[in-house]
Amino acid sequence: MEESISKSVMAFITITTVVVLFSFFVWVFPGFFFTNDLKEITTAKPYTALELAGRDVYMAEGCVACHTQMVRNLEPERKRYGRPNKMEDDVYEFNFLWSSQRTGPDLTNIGLKYTEGWHKQHLINPQAIVPASIMPQYPWLFEKKLNVSHVIASMKAMKKLGVPYTDTQIENSSSKVEGKTKGDALVAYLMSLGVDTREKGGDLN
Amino acid sequence: MESMNILSSVLSIIFFFIMVAVIYSQFRKNKTADSNKTIEQFDGIDEKDAPIPKVFFVAYLIAFIGAIVYVLLYPSLASWKGFIGWTENDDAYVAKSIDINNNINAIINANTDEQVFTLLQKDPLVLQSGKSLFGDNCSACHGQDAKGQYNYPSLVDKDWLYGGSPQDVYTTIHNGRKGKMPAWKGVLSGKDIDELTQYVSDLNKGPFKSNALFDANCSSCHGKDAQGTHGVGAPNLTDDIWLHGSAKADIKRNIENGMSNEMPDFGERLSRNQILSLTSYIVSLQSEPQDNIDFMQANTYIFSRNEQQLPAVLTACVACHGADGLGALPGAPKLAGLKQAYIYNQLNLFVSGLRKNATMQNIVAGLDVKDKLLAASYFSSLDSPAISKITPEKSADGLINDPTERLIFQGDWQRAIPACSTCHGQETEGSPSFPRLAGQSSDYLEKQLFDWRTGDRTGDQGHMMQNVVNKLTDDEIKSLSKYLSKMK
């Protein structure tokens, strides 16, 4: 056998492929069939049109570069950021915004913490509220209007990926985002984080 | 999901045995290995057929045994739970942290709220934990030093929008606050708004002078003397503290457009003990914390009473009747002070339909005998305010002067109405067969008396109560309900 591995490229490729396929079938393949079970047990709800638009702003502005959305089940993290993530929280997330860099705080449960007014003031000028903050200012977000056709397109894309939006929801979405600024959408998105998956009092324990 | 688990498990086991087979075949071959035999030569370097060192096989053996032990102990294959009962939740890293729950629970037990907050002030661990909670949850708006900033109130001064007693602070954190001042543009003329702006900006500059416009429009929230009202969070306008700007332009903008300012609620996010330590920390920032504690109503037991573990089936009951049994919604009767047998009997009357009330009948329909007994014993165990003895004024012939008091304590034998106290007890304190009346909500009493008359409430022995109520006039029912509700 070792003769053939060291001598024959085909044998080497075949054996390597078999080993890799074992891992694939044990670790990756079953995951494709969990989605429906996760949809049964999840408390997460699909984003509204405005929140989805805000999520696009979140991605476009590169918020993921500094903010995670992944609370690990460690006491210091639970105390500071609230309920740890669970697999079923992300059934409607395409793509994940877990991120890996925490220059700013984790935002998984940020919707439970502040008010809309706070977010608006903070996005326009973070240093006005938290003097030590190093977050950049985003005043222009509240000057630029959302592009309605982009929102509809992004809802349709989500529907293709498995988010249960109905056609009427997609049609009505234009009236919901009409005239709203990018900042309004981002604030709506931030205010929705952690709200659906919240648990009863004492989360931080 | 299950079939996929089985697939993974079967593949894992097959892969394990393949690994074992490969290593074992190598181990067998090792015996025939000859370290002097040259297999191949690369650039003058010989590759000998040397045996694989023993330590590799020992390491593999340890790894295989380890894998089997792991599979036996931990949840690994399909739905196998493992012998040691480990779950994902046990995976939490437990740092050396302060656990204040025992401290606080010990303090809360059987102390009045006043004592609770006084004792919490003296516990450095509680204050320290409050401080770190403040840093995580409050400082983003109120600042690290709690001194507040534009639009966000300072917590270290004596100027409180919603009251500064620990109970008020606790309520603010738990429920949040939504302050709203209406917009006056369009309601008042531009001239009036200018006059009010001038008046308000001058309020803190000299002795107080009243203003007709202010009295007519602003005083219902800010008070006749412009000192503000804690109930609605209307600020004091006579001091030098301006949350939303002191310039005339700021004041004018707020009058014209109104103002809504919100403090989010933390009741869902923080546990009771965390809010208590946070409250204690905030109060400790005051120059005289004891003053704030003294603002509280004396002798309340809100926290120690809530300490009682509430059975899940009672959550529907306490939504209206209150966890303390003193009634949380208007119209819901106080249950504290009623006897167990009486409550149990009433629950059954709702089931049989002899007592009619859509809400109660709906809720009781879902209870079994055990639940009903539990509800009855829980509410009968709660303390109710004591009743002080009443000595009504009597005339020379022994009749009580006040007609309402006469009905309660003596009855009216001309009209064949027995005294309430005949059955409900000397102080209307109630018995296992008859409810306590003293201190009951007047709305509730009045509705019950009318229900007896219309037949919405029945089930009394020999129509005893119905016979009495039929002889009472509407006015008597109203004044009886009022009087009884005030008896303490």
Side-chain angles (χ1 to χ4, degrees):
Chain A
M1 181 103 155
E2 61 270 36
E3 290 270 313
S4 56
I5 294 179
S6 51
K7 294 275 162 62
S8 153
V9 176
M10 278 319 288
F12 181 75
I13 290 176
T14 316
I15 290 171
T16 313
T17 312
V18 168
V19 172
V20 170
L21 275 183
F22 261 107
S23 306
F24 175 80
F25 277 105
V26 169
W27 287 107
V28 183
F29 181 70
F32 296 148
F33 299 88
F34 285 170
T35 318
N36 285 332
D37 295 289
L38 293 179
K39 275 183 187 166
E40 294 275 313
I41 55 173
T42 187
T43 53
K45 296 185 190 75
Y47 291 109
T48 64
L50 189 62
E51 288 162 10
L52 189 67
R55 196 172 184 274
D56 289 340
V57 176
Y58 186 92
M59 290 192 278
E61 295 299 335
C63 303
V64 281
C66 293
H67 293 284
T68 53
Q69 289 189 30
M70 170 55 75
V71 181
R72 291 167 292 185
N73 195 7
L74 307 172
E75 192 178 14
E77 298 216 356
R78 278 180 289 137
K79 278 195 159 161
R80 184 150 184 215
Y81 299 126
R83 175 183 173 280
N85 290 49
K86 289 188 179 163
M87 191 162 39
E88 63 266 24
D89 296 350
D90 291 328
V91 280
Y92 303 126
E93 290 278 303
F94 300 101
N95 50 352
F96 303 124
L97 298 177
W98 295 335
S99 168
S100 58
Q101 168 103 2
R102 241 184 226 166
T103 305
D106 186 276
L107 300 180
T108 310
N109 299 307
I110 201 72
L112 306 174
K113 211 166 179 179
Y114 303 120
T115 59
E116 285 176 11
W118 185 91
H119 279 301
K120 185 169 178 183
Q121 289 180 43
H122 183 255
L123 283 167
I124 291 174
N125 185 359
Q127 286 72 31
I129 294 182
V130 186
S133 172
I134 56 164
M135 179 164 143
Q137 305 176 351
Y138 293 90
W140 69 87
L141 288 180
F142 293 89
E143 289 154 20
K144 285 201 171 166
K145 293 265 186 296
L146 283 172
N147 186 330
V148 178
S149 62
H150 285 183
V151 180
I152 291 174
S154 127
M155 279 187 95
K156 280 181 181 158
M158 288 295 146
K159 194 184 171 186
K160 261 187 200 148
L161 290 168
V163 182
Y165 289 128
T166 60
D167 289 335
T168 31
Q169 261 176 319
I170 296 178
E171 277 167 37
N172 293 343
S173 64
S174 61
S175 66
K176 301 233 167 84
V177 297
E178 192 86 67
K180 294 276 198 313
T181 63
K182 288 186 167 187
D184 295 336
L186 183 55
V187 170
Y189 170 66
L190 291 172
M191 286 303 287
S192 77
L193 290 177
V195 173
D196 298 335
T197 50
R198 88 197 299 186
E199 280 165 4
K200 60 184 187 315
D203 258 13
L204 299 179
N205 258 332
Chain B
M1 209 155 180
E2 193 51 36
S3 60
M4 282 301 134
N5 277 336
I6 291 170
L7 172 76
S8 311
S9 308
V10 170
L11 288 177
S12 300
I13 293 170
I14 292 175
F15 195 70
F16 179 78
F17 282 115
I18 292 177
M19 290 266 291
V20 173
V22 168
I23 299 299
Y24 183 66
S25 73
Q26 292 294 328
F27 182 66
R28 288 284 298 272
K29 266 187 205 156
N30 232 13
K31 288 176 186 159
T32 59
D34 177 8
S35 53
N36 294 323
K37 185 179 147 200
T38 303
I39 302 173
E40 221 170 340
Q41 264 193 336
F42 300 97
D43 295 341
I45 302 167
D46 291 347
E47 187 188 347
K48 305 274 192 194
D49 185 21
I52 300 169
K54 278 245 166 53
V55 64
F56 280 102
F57 295 107
V58 175
Y60 267 110
L61 188 66
I62 292 172
F64 288 145
I65 293 171
I68 292 169
V69 171
Y70 177 87
V71 165
L72 291 178
L73 292 183
Y74 288 93
S76 42
L77 298 175
S79 53
W80 167 245
K81 295 266 187 300
F83 281 122
I84 57 169
W86 181 93
T87 67
E88 211 177 1
N89 293 339
D90 302 338
D91 201 21
Y93 160 71
V94 181
K96 207 175 160 195
S97 63
I98 318 165
D99 186 6
I100 48 159
N101 286 321
N102 291 338
N103 299 29
I104 297 187
N105 289 343
I107 288 174
I108 280 180
N109 248 333
N111 275 323
T112 64
D113 295 346
E114 219 174 337
Q115 289 163 327
V116 167
F117 283 110
T118 312
L119 289 169
L120 287 177
Q121 280 298 318
K122 291 179 185 146
D123 192 328
L125 282 183
V126 169
L127 295 184
Q128 193 190 325
S129 135
K131 186 176 181 179
S132 57
L133 284 168
F134 189 89
D136 279 348
N137 295 289
C138 319
S139 63
C141 296
H142 294 286
Q144 277 292 351
D145 52 3
K147 286 197 176 135
Q149 52 191 321
Y150 185 64
N151 284 338
Y152 301 103
S154 162
L155 304 178
V156 297
D157 58 16
K158 301 241 172 256
D159 186 46
W160 293 94
L161 286 169
Y162 291 90
S165 82
Q167 279 168 348
D168 292 329
V169 176
Y170 184 95
T171 312
T172 303
I173 300 172
H174 188 279
N175 299 344
R177 299 284 188 185
K178 285 195 173 68
K180 193 148 183 61
M181 160 156 164
W184 292 96
K185 200 179 192 171
V187 181
L188 295 175
S189 70
K191 206 176 116 267
D192 288 348
I193 289 179
D194 285 340
E195 183 188 332
L196 272 174
T197 307
Q198 184 63 41
Y199 172 71
V200 170
S201 78
D202 287 343
L203 265 174
N204 61 344
K205 295 197 179 92
F208 179 76
K209 280 184 283 201
S210 65
N211 172 297
L213 266 175
F214 187 87
D215 274 358
N217 299 301
C218 318
S219 64
S220 56
C221 291
H222 290 284
K224 282 264 179 238
D225 48 4
Q227 298 276 343
T229 313
H230 285 170
V232 291
N236 183 348
L237 301 175
T238 61
D239 57 17
D240 218 1
I241 297 165
W242 298 94
L243 191 53
H244 306 291
S246 61
K248 262 190 206 164
D250 294 325
I251 297 172
K252 184 171 178 184
R253 189 188 61 234
N254 286 334
I255 296 176
E256 279 183 336
N257 305 330
M259 169 53 73
S260 55
N261 211 8
E262 189 186 344
M263 149 98 193
D265 66 283
F266 286 84
E268 296 272 325
R269 200 172 148 82
L270 301 174
S271 71
R272 184 204 59 187
N273 287 353
Q274 285 175 317
I275 301 183
L276 278 175
S277 61
L278 195 46
T279 305
S280 301
Y281 172 70
I282 291 171
V283 171
S284 76
L285 298 172
Q286 295 278 307
S287 51
E288 294 290 336
Q290 195 57 41
D291 287 356
N292 290 54
I293 294 171
D294 292 340
F295 286 147
M296 288 197 298
Q297 282 179 298
N299 296 325
T300 49
Y301 283 90
I302 296 172
F303 293 106
S304 55
R305 187 171 278 140
N306 288 348
E307 219 9 43
Q308 229 163 344
Q309 269 292 326
L310 196 65
V313 59
L314 295 184
T315 42
C317 312
V318 300
C320 299
H321 296 290
D324 51 8
L326 295 178
L329 288 183
K334 293 178 183 170
L335 300 183
L338 297 178
K339 298 287 184 284
Q340 184 172 359
Y342 173 77
I343 299 177
Y344 182 67
N345 185 30
Q346 295 309 309
L347 290 173
N348 284 330
L349 289 178
F350 282 122
V351 176
S352 61
L354 288 172
R355 210 181 149 171
K356 292 192 183 68
N357 178 307
T359 316
M360 279 305 293
Q361 282 174 308
N362 243 329
I363 290 174
V364 177
L367 301 182
D368 60 18
V369 178
K370 218 175 82 223
D371 296 340
K372 282 186 274 192
L373 279 171
L374 180 71
S377 74
Y378 173 77
F379 286 109
S380 62
S381 76
L382 301 170
D383 356 310
S384 49
I387 314 167
S388 53
K389 187 156 177 63
I390 295 170
T391 356
E393 280 175 47
K394 291 180 184 171
S395 62
D397 48 4
L399 275 181
I400 297 175
N401 290 336
D402 183 89
T404 310
E405 284 182 347
R406 198 187 311 142
L407 277 173
I408 295 173
F409 296 107
Q410 293 185 323
D412 186 343
W413 287 109
Q414 302 295 325
R415 292 153 64 199
I417 300 176
C420 303
S421 58
T422 316
C423 296
H424 291 279
Q426 203 52 50
E427 316 289 346
T428 70
E429 73 278 7
S431 70
S433 312
F434 297 93
R436 167 182 163 134
L437 303 176
Q440 187 55 276
S441 120
S442 70
D443 291 348
Y444 172 75
L445 286 175
E446 196 179 307
K447 176 160 191 310
Q448 294 313 305
L449 289 169
F450 283 118
D451 279 0
W452 283 112
R453 184 190 278 173
T454 58
D456 277 347
R457 187 169 175 180
T458 51
D460 47 339
Q461 289 296 327
H463 299 295
M464 195 193 281
M465 193 66 206
Q466 199 175 14
N467 285 336
V468 175
V469 177
N470 281 340
K471 293 168 198 154
L472 293 172
T473 66
D474 286 7
D475 284 344
E476 279 171 335
I477 287 180
K478 281 175 191 158
S479 60
L480 273 173
S481 308
K482 264 208 196 87
Y483 185 91
L484 288 166
S485 71
K486 287 194 182 125
M487 273 176 76
K488 272 177 196 142

